[in-house]
Amino acid sequence: SSSSLSLLLVRACRSDWGWAGHGATALGMGQFLHRGCIIRGGEVQETLAKIRRIAFDKTGTLTKGATSLIKIENDDASQEEVLQRAASLEQHSEHALAHGIISAARERNLRLTNPKRVQAFPGSGILGYVEGDLVAVGRGEWIREQGLNLPSTLSERLLNYENSGQTAVCVGWSGKVNGLLLLDDLLLPEARATVQALRSLKLQTLLLTGDLPAVAQRIAESAGIEEWQAGFSPEEKSNFLAQWSKRNGCVAMVGDGLNDGPVLASAEVGIAVGTATDLARETADLVLPKGGLNLLPWVITLARAVRRTILTNLLWAFGYNVVAITLAVFGLLQPILAAGLMAGSSLLVVFNSLRLEQFTDQAVDFTP
């Protein structure tokens, strides 16, 4: 009868709708995994497709994260003592700057001691007792907040470094700053090409960093990023990201370090690069493989392709089956033809989804 045939077609329509979404989503997930990306679920793909703005952390994300010690400025202490105390304390930090300081100390064969009662202040500095003295290592502004006096000679040099966009870390104990460590972190060779590709996808870019404004401006200009915000603690980054999202819509955040965990969790989509700390990887919705920053435009493009495929499948399944059901209700559709329509509808949805397997535009090109 026409009523039973209609019911059968309705069930077929429901089956097509299921395939329209689940099939495309599963194939998209397979593409992510094939490229070494870890994604938390189909919902992340859907949200990625809606992203129109993307924010970056600086150190270890856009830069190599392997900082090098360029120069040591000292006052009332030897350069070796300044570096030795800073490196001893930084053994308890996972920040990229800490690795640069420790590496420099080991290259000079300095003996590192085990500090006591270490307390980290994410995005600002670190405190702890080294050989009985309370040592502070961190940004100039934070060092002043700890009540340490900054000698005029070091203060002038620190200001010059900050104004030129260089990273300088203060090291102090016994109530005063005893030295400055000048560090440098180079931009990743693929960073600029990646940002350009994202902008070609109509994505607005932002740099969020705890560094000084001059440093943020230098890196943002080198990478081609449109907007930057500097001097932010992790909490301030999260708050700013929430406000930016409220004003502008769906936002993704890309980061790598321990300090990025709360920020990645607060974004609509948190993306961790392959060198990320365990906490950043656990809190991120998507983890790129090591050295995979240039996969980011491909990730966004794939998510958009999956969403487009799902919408196309739904539109086809709805229109195709509405016509078939209408014909069945009025008795204008023979059972054998209805069976053919049912099979044809499902096959078209499946084949349209399978096109995602040919999605091979993997990464942007860049010149190292």
Side-chain angles (χ1 to χ4, degrees), residues 248-310:
N248 301 303
C250 219
V251 174
M253 176 72 195
V254 187
D256 86 309
L258 179 64
N259 297 342
D260 302 323
V263 191
L264 294 177
S266 67
E268 277 89 354
V269 179
I271 303 173
V273 294
T275 54
T277 61
D278 290 341
L279 179 58
R281 294 169 70 91
E282 285 297 322
T283 54
D285 300 299
L286 172 68
V287 181
L288 301 177
K290 187 175 181 180
L293 180 67
N294 60 323
L295 280 175
L296 199 50
W298 173 83
V299 162
I300 302 293
T301 307
L302 174 59
R304 291 179 178 179
V306 170
R307 186 168 186 266
R308 191 163 52 246
T309 299
I310 291 173

Short mmCIF file of all heavy atoms in Angstrom, two decimals, residues 248-310:
data_model
loop_
_atom_site.label_atom_id
_atom_site.label_comp_id
_atom_site.label_asym_id
_atom_site.label_seq_id
_atom_site.Cartn_x
_atom_site.Cartn_y
_atom_site.Cartn_z
N ASN A 248 33.64 39.16 18.60
CA ASN A 248 33.93 38.79 17.21
C ASN A 248 33.48 37.40 16.79
O ASN A 248 33.63 37.03 15.63
CB ASN A 248 35.43 38.92 16.95
CG ASN A 248 35.94 40.32 17.20
OD1 ASN A 248 35.46 41.28 16.61
ND2 ASN A 248 36.92 40.45 18.10
N GLY A 249 32.99 36.58 17.71
CA GLY A 249 32.56 35.23 17.34
C GLY A 249 33.58 34.17 17.67
O GLY A 249 34.51 34.39 18.44
N CYS A 250 33.41 32.98 17.08
CA CYS A 250 34.18 31.79 17.42
C CYS A 250 35.69 31.99 17.26
O CYS A 250 36.16 32.45 16.22
CB CYS A 250 33.72 30.66 16.51
SG CYS A 250 33.61 29.08 17.34
N VAL A 251 36.46 31.64 18.32
CA VAL A 251 37.91 31.88 18.36
C VAL A 251 38.65 30.59 18.69
O VAL A 251 38.22 29.81 19.54
CB VAL A 251 38.25 32.95 19.43
CG1 VAL A 251 39.76 33.10 19.57
CG2 VAL A 251 37.64 34.29 19.05
N ALA A 252 39.78 30.36 18.01
CA ALA A 252 40.69 29.26 18.33
C ALA A 252 41.95 29.85 18.95
O ALA A 252 42.35 30.96 18.65
CB ALA A 252 41.04 28.46 17.09
N MET A 253 42.60 29.07 19.83
CA MET A 253 43.84 29.49 20.47
C MET A 253 44.90 28.42 20.23
O MET A 253 44.66 27.23 20.43
CB MET A 253 43.64 29.68 21.98
CG MET A 253 44.90 30.02 22.76
SD MET A 253 45.48 31.71 22.46
CE MET A 253 47.16 31.62 23.11
N VAL A 254 46.08 28.86 19.78
CA VAL A 254 47.19 27.94 19.51
C VAL A 254 48.30 28.21 20.52
O VAL A 254 48.76 29.35 20.66
CB VAL A 254 47.75 28.12 18.08
CG1 VAL A 254 48.78 27.04 17.77
CG2 VAL A 254 46.62 28.10 17.06
N GLY A 255 48.74 27.17 21.24
CA GLY A 255 49.80 27.34 22.23
C GLY A 255 50.56 26.05 22.44
O GLY A 255 50.24 25.02 21.86
N ASP A 256 51.59 26.14 23.31
CA ASP A 256 52.40 24.94 23.52
C ASP A 256 52.80 24.70 24.96
O ASP A 256 53.10 23.58 25.35
CB ASP A 256 53.69 25.02 22.70
CG ASP A 256 54.80 25.75 23.43
OD1 ASP A 256 54.54 26.87 23.91
OD2 ASP A 256 55.91 25.21 23.56
N GLY A 257 52.83 25.71 25.78
CA GLY A 257 53.49 25.57 27.07
C GLY A 257 52.56 25.33 28.24
O GLY A 257 51.35 25.32 28.13
N LEU A 258 53.18 25.16 29.39
CA LEU A 258 52.45 24.94 30.64
C LEU A 258 51.52 26.11 30.92
O LEU A 258 50.40 25.94 31.38
CB LEU A 258 53.46 24.77 31.78
CG LEU A 258 52.89 24.55 33.18
CD1 LEU A 258 52.14 23.23 33.22
CD2 LEU A 258 53.99 24.58 34.23
N ASN A 259 51.96 27.32 30.63
CA ASN A 259 51.15 28.50 30.89
C ASN A 259 49.92 28.58 29.99
O ASN A 259 49.00 29.34 30.27
CB ASN A 259 51.99 29.77 30.69
CG ASN A 259 53.14 29.86 31.67
OD1 ASN A 259 53.14 29.18 32.69
ND2 ASN A 259 54.13 30.67 31.35
N ASP A 260 49.92 27.83 28.89
CA ASP A 260 48.83 27.92 27.93
C ASP A 260 47.65 27.03 28.27
O ASP A 260 46.60 27.16 27.65
CB ASP A 260 49.33 27.54 26.52
CG ASP A 260 50.48 28.43 26.06
OD1 ASP A 260 50.44 29.62 26.38
OD2 ASP A 260 51.40 27.92 25.41
N GLY A 261 47.81 26.11 29.22
CA GLY A 261 46.74 25.18 29.54
C GLY A 261 45.39 25.83 29.80
O GLY A 261 44.40 25.51 29.13
N PRO A 262 45.29 26.79 30.74
CA PRO A 262 44.01 27.43 31.01
C PRO A 262 43.47 28.21 29.81
O PRO A 262 42.26 28.28 29.61
CB PRO A 262 44.33 28.38 32.18
CG PRO A 262 45.58 27.84 32.79
CD PRO A 262 46.34 27.22 31.67
N VAL A 263 44.37 28.81 29.02
CA VAL A 263 43.95 29.59 27.86
C VAL A 263 43.39 28.67 26.78
O VAL A 263 42.35 28.96 26.18
CB VAL A 263 45.13 30.41 27.30
CG1 VAL A 263 44.62 31.41 26.27
CG2 VAL A 263 45.87 31.13 28.41
N LEU A 264 44.05 27.54 26.55
CA LEU A 264 43.56 26.58 25.57
C LEU A 264 42.19 26.05 25.97
O LEU A 264 41.32 25.84 25.13
CB LEU A 264 44.55 25.43 25.41
CG LEU A 264 45.92 25.76 24.82
CD1 LEU A 264 46.81 24.51 24.82
CD2 LEU A 264 45.80 26.31 23.42
N ALA A 265 42.01 25.82 27.26
CA ALA A 265 40.73 25.30 27.75
C ALA A 265 39.61 26.32 27.62
O ALA A 265 38.44 25.95 27.47
CB ALA A 265 40.89 24.86 29.20
N SER A 266 39.94 27.61 27.68
CA SER A 266 38.92 28.65 27.66
C SER A 266 38.48 29.02 26.24
O SER A 266 37.45 29.65 26.06
CB SER A 266 39.43 29.91 28.36
OG SER A 266 40.50 30.51 27.64
N ALA A 267 39.26 28.64 25.23
CA ALA A 267 38.92 28.95 23.84
C ALA A 267 37.87 27.98 23.31
O ALA A 267 37.74 26.86 23.82
CB ALA A 267 40.18 28.90 22.97
N GLU A 268 37.12 28.41 22.28
CA GLU A 268 36.17 27.48 21.65
C GLU A 268 36.90 26.25 21.11
O GLU A 268 36.40 25.14 21.22
CB GLU A 268 35.42 28.19 20.51
CG GLU A 268 34.23 29.02 20.92
CD GLU A 268 34.60 30.45 21.26
OE1 GLU A 268 35.81 30.76 21.28
OE2 GLU A 268 33.70 31.25 21.52
N VAL A 269 38.08 26.47 20.53
CA VAL A 269 38.93 25.36 20.11
C VAL A 269 40.35 25.66 20.57
O VAL A 269 40.94 26.66 20.18
CB VAL A 269 38.92 25.17 18.57
CG1 VAL A 269 39.86 24.02 18.19
CG2 VAL A 269 37.52 24.89 18.06
N GLY A 270 40.89 24.80 21.43
CA GLY A 270 42.28 24.93 21.87
C GLY A 270 43.15 24.02 21.03
O GLY A 270 42.87 22.83 20.92
N ILE A 271 44.20 24.58 20.43
CA ILE A 271 45.08 23.81 19.54
C ILE A 271 46.49 23.83 20.11
O ILE A 271 47.08 24.89 20.31
CB ILE A 271 45.09 24.40 18.11
CG1 ILE A 271 43.66 24.45 17.55
CG2 ILE A 271 46.00 23.60 17.20
CD1 ILE A 271 43.55 25.18 16.23
N ALA A 272 47.04 22.64 20.39
CA ALA A 272 48.40 22.53 20.92
C ALA A 272 49.33 22.04 19.82
O ALA A 272 48.97 21.16 19.05
CB ALA A 272 48.44 21.55 22.10
N VAL A 273 50.51 22.65 19.74
CA VAL A 273 51.50 22.19 18.77
C VAL A 273 52.20 20.96 19.34
O VAL A 273 52.13 20.68 20.53
CB VAL A 273 52.52 23.30 18.43
CG1 VAL A 273 51.84 24.44 17.71
CG2 VAL A 273 53.22 23.79 19.68
N GLY A 274 52.92 20.24 18.49
CA GLY A 274 53.47 18.93 18.86
C GLY A 274 54.47 18.95 19.98
O GLY A 274 54.67 17.94 20.66
N THR A 275 55.12 20.10 20.21
CA THR A 275 56.12 20.18 21.29
C THR A 275 55.49 20.60 22.61
O THR A 275 56.20 20.92 23.56
CB THR A 275 57.22 21.19 20.91
OG1 THR A 275 56.61 22.44 20.56
CG2 THR A 275 58.03 20.68 19.73
N ALA A 276 54.17 20.60 22.68
CA ALA A 276 53.48 21.10 23.86
C ALA A 276 53.76 20.25 25.10
O ALA A 276 54.09 19.08 25.02
CB ALA A 276 51.96 21.12 23.61
N THR A 277 53.62 20.89 26.26
CA THR A 277 53.74 20.18 27.52
C THR A 277 52.54 19.24 27.68
O THR A 277 51.54 19.36 26.99
CB THR A 277 53.79 21.16 28.70
OG1 THR A 277 52.56 21.91 28.71
CG2 THR A 277 54.95 22.12 28.56
N ASP A 278 52.64 18.32 28.63
CA ASP A 278 51.56 17.35 28.85
C ASP A 278 50.25 18.03 29.19
O ASP A 278 49.18 17.62 28.73
CB ASP A 278 51.95 16.37 29.96
CG ASP A 278 53.07 15.43 29.55
OD1 ASP A 278 53.29 15.28 28.33
OD2 ASP A 278 53.74 14.88 30.44
N LEU A 279 50.32 19.10 30.02
CA LEU A 279 49.10 19.79 30.42
C LEU A 279 48.43 20.45 29.22
O LEU A 279 47.21 20.38 29.05
CB LEU A 279 49.42 20.84 31.49
CG LEU A 279 48.22 21.68 31.98
CD1 LEU A 279 47.14 20.77 32.56
CD2 LEU A 279 48.66 22.72 33.01
N ALA A 280 49.24 21.09 28.37
CA ALA A 280 48.69 21.74 27.19
C ALA A 280 48.03 20.71 26.26
O ALA A 280 46.96 20.95 25.70
CB ALA A 280 49.78 22.50 26.44
N ARG A 281 48.67 19.55 26.10
CA ARG A 281 48.11 18.50 25.25
C ARG A 281 46.81 17.95 25.82
O ARG A 281 45.89 17.61 25.08
CB ARG A 281 49.13 17.38 25.07
CG ARG A 281 50.37 17.79 24.29
CD ARG A 281 51.45 16.72 24.37
NE ARG A 281 51.09 15.54 23.62
CZ ARG A 281 51.41 15.34 22.34
NH1 ARG A 281 52.08 16.25 21.67
NH2 ARG A 281 51.05 14.23 21.74
N GLU A 282 46.73 17.85 27.15
CA GLU A 282 45.52 17.31 27.79
C GLU A 282 44.36 18.28 27.69
O GLU A 282 43.20 17.85 27.59
CB GLU A 282 45.81 16.99 29.26
CG GLU A 282 46.63 15.73 29.47
CD GLU A 282 45.94 14.48 28.97
OE1 GLU A 282 44.71 14.38 29.12
OE2 GLU A 282 46.62 13.62 28.38
N THR A 283 44.62 19.58 27.74
CA THR A 283 43.55 20.57 27.74
C THR A 283 43.14 20.99 26.33
O THR A 283 42.10 21.61 26.16
CB THR A 283 43.95 21.83 28.54
OG1 THR A 283 45.20 22.31 28.02
CG2 THR A 283 44.11 21.52 30.01
N ALA A 284 43.95 20.65 25.33
CA ALA A 284 43.66 21.07 23.96
C ALA A 284 42.60 20.17 23.30
O ALA A 284 42.49 19.00 23.60
CB ALA A 284 44.94 21.05 23.13
N ASP A 285 41.83 20.77 22.40
CA ASP A 285 40.84 20.01 21.62
C ASP A 285 41.50 19.34 20.43
O ASP A 285 41.01 18.33 19.93
CB ASP A 285 39.74 20.96 21.12
CG ASP A 285 39.01 21.63 22.26
OD1 ASP A 285 38.41 20.92 23.07
OD2 ASP A 285 39.05 22.87 22.34
N LEU A 286 42.60 19.93 19.96
CA LEU A 286 43.32 19.40 18.81
C LEU A 286 44.81 19.52 19.06
O LEU A 286 45.28 20.58 19.50
CB LEU A 286 42.93 20.19 17.55
CG LEU A 286 43.72 19.90 16.26
CD1 LEU A 286 43.40 18.50 15.76
CD2 LEU A 286 43.39 20.93 15.19
N VAL A 287 45.55 18.45 18.81
CA VAL A 287 47.02 18.46 18.97
C VAL A 287 47.65 18.21 17.61
O VAL A 287 47.40 17.18 16.98
CB VAL A 287 47.49 17.39 19.98
CG1 VAL A 287 49.01 17.46 20.14
CG2 VAL A 287 46.81 17.59 21.34
N LEU A 288 48.46 19.17 17.15
CA LEU A 288 49.16 19.01 15.89
C LEU A 288 50.43 18.18 16.11
O LEU A 288 50.99 18.20 17.21
CB LEU A 288 49.54 20.38 15.31
CG LEU A 288 48.40 21.35 15.03
CD1 LEU A 288 48.96 22.69 14.54
CD2 LEU A 288 47.45 20.77 14.00
N PRO A 289 50.90 17.48 15.10
CA PRO A 289 52.14 16.71 15.28
C PRO A 289 53.34 17.63 15.45
O PRO A 289 53.28 18.83 15.15
CB PRO A 289 52.24 15.91 13.97
CG PRO A 289 51.47 16.71 12.98
CD PRO A 289 50.36 17.34 13.74
N LYS A 290 54.43 17.08 15.92
CA LYS A 290 55.65 17.87 16.11
C LYS A 290 56.08 18.48 14.78
O LYS A 290 56.14 17.81 13.76
CB LYS A 290 56.77 16.98 16.66
CG LYS A 290 58.02 17.75 17.04
CD LYS A 290 59.04 16.83 17.69
CE LYS A 290 60.29 17.61 18.11
NZ LYS A 290 61.30 16.72 18.75
N GLY A 291 56.38 19.78 14.82
CA GLY A 291 56.76 20.49 13.59
C GLY A 291 55.60 20.70 12.65
O GLY A 291 55.80 20.97 11.46
N GLY A 292 54.38 20.61 13.16
CA GLY A 292 53.20 20.66 12.30
C GLY A 292 52.43 21.96 12.31
O GLY A 292 51.25 21.97 11.96
N LEU A 293 53.09 23.08 12.67
CA LEU A 293 52.39 24.36 12.65
C LEU A 293 51.83 24.66 11.26
O LEU A 293 50.73 25.20 11.12
CB LEU A 293 53.32 25.48 13.11
CG LEU A 293 52.71 26.88 13.14
CD1 LEU A 293 51.64 26.98 14.23
CD2 LEU A 293 53.78 27.96 13.36
N ASN A 294 52.60 24.31 10.22
CA ASN A 294 52.14 24.61 8.86
C ASN A 294 50.97 23.74 8.40
O ASN A 294 50.45 23.91 7.30
CB ASN A 294 53.31 24.50 7.86
CG ASN A 294 53.91 23.11 7.82
OD1 ASN A 294 54.02 22.44 8.85
ND2 ASN A 294 54.32 22.66 6.65
N LEU A 295 50.54 22.79 9.25
CA LEU A 295 49.32 22.02 8.97
C LEU A 295 48.05 22.79 9.34
O LEU A 295 46.94 22.37 8.97
CB LEU A 295 49.33 20.70 9.74
CG LEU A 295 50.15 19.54 9.17
CD1 LEU A 295 50.14 18.36 10.13
CD2 LEU A 295 49.62 19.12 7.81
N LEU A 296 48.20 23.88 10.06
CA LEU A 296 47.05 24.59 10.60
C LEU A 296 46.07 25.04 9.51
O LEU A 296 44.85 24.84 9.67
CB LEU A 296 47.54 25.79 11.43
CG LEU A 296 46.57 26.40 12.43
CD1 LEU A 296 45.95 25.35 13.33
CD2 LEU A 296 47.30 27.45 13.27
N PRO A 297 46.52 25.64 8.40
CA PRO A 297 45.56 26.00 7.35
C PRO A 297 44.84 24.78 6.78
O PRO A 297 43.65 24.84 6.47
CB PRO A 297 46.44 26.68 6.28
CG PRO A 297 47.64 27.15 7.02
CD PRO A 297 47.88 26.12 8.09
N TRP A 298 45.57 23.65 6.63
CA TRP A 298 44.97 22.41 6.15
C TRP A 298 43.89 21.92 7.11
O TRP A 298 42.82 21.46 6.69
CB TRP A 298 46.06 21.35 5.98
CG TRP A 298 45.53 19.99 5.65
CD1 TRP A 298 45.19 19.51 4.42
CD2 TRP A 298 45.29 18.91 6.57
NE1 TRP A 298 44.74 18.21 4.51
CE2 TRP A 298 44.79 17.82 5.82
CE3 TRP A 298 45.44 18.77 7.95
CZ2 TRP A 298 44.45 16.60 6.41
CZ3 TRP A 298 45.09 17.56 8.53
CH2 TRP A 298 44.60 16.49 7.77
N VAL A 299 44.15 22.02 8.41
CA VAL A 299 43.19 21.60 9.43
C VAL A 299 41.89 22.39 9.30
O VAL A 299 40.79 21.82 9.32
CB VAL A 299 43.80 21.82 10.84
CG1 VAL A 299 42.73 21.82 11.91
CG2 VAL A 299 44.83 20.73 11.15
N ILE A 300 42.00 23.71 9.16
CA ILE A 300 40.81 24.55 9.03
C ILE A 300 40.08 24.21 7.73
O ILE A 300 38.84 24.09 7.71
CB ILE A 300 41.20 26.04 9.03
CG1 ILE A 300 41.95 26.41 10.33
CG2 ILE A 300 39.95 26.91 8.86
CD1 ILE A 300 41.14 26.33 11.58
N THR A 301 40.82 24.05 6.64
CA THR A 301 40.22 23.75 5.34
C THR A 301 39.50 22.41 5.36
O THR A 301 38.41 22.26 4.80
CB THR A 301 41.29 23.76 4.24
OG1 THR A 301 42.01 25.00 4.29
CG2 THR A 301 40.66 23.62 2.86
N LEU A 302 40.11 21.39 5.99
CA LEU A 302 39.47 20.08 6.09
C LEU A 302 38.18 20.16 6.90
O LEU A 302 37.16 19.59 6.51
CB LEU A 302 40.42 19.07 6.73
CG LEU A 302 39.84 17.68 7.03
CD1 LEU A 302 39.34 17.02 5.75
CD2 LEU A 302 40.87 16.80 7.73
N ALA A 303 38.23 20.86 8.03
CA ALA A 303 37.02 21.00 8.86
C ALA A 303 35.89 21.66 8.07
O ALA A 303 34.73 21.26 8.16
CB ALA A 303 37.34 21.80 10.12
N ARG A 304 36.24 22.67 7.29
CA ARG A 304 35.23 23.33 6.46
C ARG A 304 34.70 22.38 5.39
O ARG A 304 33.49 22.39 5.07
CB ARG A 304 35.82 24.59 5.82
CG ARG A 304 36.11 25.71 6.82
CD ARG A 304 36.71 26.92 6.12
NE ARG A 304 36.96 28.01 7.06
CZ ARG A 304 37.49 29.19 6.73
NH1 ARG A 304 37.82 29.42 5.47
NH2 ARG A 304 37.68 30.13 7.64
N ALA A 305 35.59 21.55 4.82
CA ALA A 305 35.16 20.60 3.79
C ALA A 305 34.22 19.55 4.38
O ALA A 305 33.23 19.16 3.73
CB ALA A 305 36.39 19.92 3.18
N VAL A 306 34.50 19.09 5.60
CA VAL A 306 33.62 18.12 6.26
C VAL A 306 32.24 18.72 6.50
O VAL A 306 31.21 18.10 6.21
CB VAL A 306 34.25 17.66 7.60
CG1 VAL A 306 33.23 16.84 8.41
CG2 VAL A 306 35.50 16.83 7.36
N ARG A 307 32.23 19.95 6.98
CA ARG A 307 30.95 20.61 7.26
C ARG A 307 30.16 20.83 5.95
O ARG A 307 28.94 20.62 5.92
CB ARG A 307 31.19 21.95 7.95
CG ARG A 307 29.92 22.67 8.40
CD ARG A 307 30.27 23.83 9.33
NE ARG A 307 29.08 24.44 9.88
CZ ARG A 307 28.46 25.51 9.34
NH1 ARG A 307 28.97 26.06 8.25
NH2 ARG A 307 27.39 26.01 9.90
N ARG A 308 30.88 21.23 4.91
CA ARG A 308 30.23 21.45 3.61
C ARG A 308 29.65 20.14 3.08
O ARG A 308 28.56 20.11 2.52
CB ARG A 308 31.25 22.04 2.64
CG ARG A 308 30.67 22.56 1.34
CD ARG A 308 31.65 23.49 0.62
NE ARG A 308 32.95 22.86 0.45
CZ ARG A 308 34.07 23.29 1.04
NH1 ARG A 308 34.02 24.33 1.87
NH2 ARG A 308 35.22 22.68 0.82
N THR A 309 30.38 19.04 3.26
CA THR A 309 29.91 17.72 2.80
C THR A 309 28.66 17.31 3.57
O THR A 309 27.70 16.78 2.98
CB THR A 309 31.02 16.68 3.00
OG1 THR A 309 32.16 17.05 2.22
CG2 THR A 309 30.55 15.30 2.55
N ILE A 310 28.67 17.53 4.88
CA ILE A 310 27.50 17.17 5.69
C ILE A 310 26.27 17.95 5.24
O ILE A 310 25.17 17.39 5.08
CB ILE A 310 27.78 17.44 7.19
CG1 ILE A 310 28.83 16.45 7.71
CG2 ILE A 310 26.51 17.34 8.02
CD1 ILE A 310 29.30 16.74 9.12
#
